[in-house]
């Protein structure tokens, strides 16, 4: 691993306890490892959001700009969501 830069962080008590529990359980060797894992997870989440924005949201935005008539109004969306929810509830019964 490259040379580490030291940082001082402050955590609320519940997060500090959680970090201590993770280390005590043996999942991590130190609090620093917990922080590094958390930062890796944040980086992965941020990358996933960026991919979603680029691949899905931008595509839909462009399609809506090209053909605004394909848009649904709020009542249509509400009706579709209610029907979807009712079908899901029925399938769970």
């Amino acid at each position: 691993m490259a040379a580490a830069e030291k940082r001082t962080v402050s955590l609320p008590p519940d997060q500090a306890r959680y970090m201590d529990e993770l280390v005590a359980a043996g999942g991590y060797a130190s609090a620093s490892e917990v922080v590094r894992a958390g930062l890796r997870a944040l980086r992965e989440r941020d990358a996933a959001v960026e991919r979603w924005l680029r691949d899905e949201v931008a595509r839909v935005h462009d399609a809506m700009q090209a053909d605004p008539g394909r848009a649904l109004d709020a009542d249509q969306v509400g009706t579709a969501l209610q029907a979807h929810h009712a079908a899901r509830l029925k399938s769970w019964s």
Side-chain angles (χ1 to χ4, degrees):
M1 179 164 82
E5 294 186 27
K6 291 190 178 224
R7 298 282 193 265
T8 300
V9 298
S10 298
L11 299 172
D14 63 317
Q15 289 179 343
R17 273 191 305 278
Y18 183 59
M19 179 183 287
D20 293 340
E21 290 168 5
L22 291 171
V23 173
Y28 299 89
S30 67
S32 292
E33 280 192 10
V34 174
V35 171
R36 285 191 292 272
L39 289 171
R40 281 191 300 273
L42 283 172
R43 182 177 282 167
E44 290 170 9
R45 185 204 62 190
D46 289 348
V49 168
E50 286 298 319
R51 280 191 305 277
W52 172 70
L53 288 170
R54 182 186 63 243
D55 298 342
E56 300 294 327
V57 174
R59 181 180 56 78
V60 171
H61 173 268
D62 293 345
M64 293 303 296
Q65 291 290 77
D67 182 12
R70 67 185 285 192
L72 301 176
D73 66 29
D75 290 334
Q76 290 171 307
V77 172
T79 300
L81 286 173
Q82 287 174 342
H84 177 75
H85 180 65
R88 295 278 309 251
L89 288 176
K90 188 176 180 180
S91 72
W92 291 344
S93 298

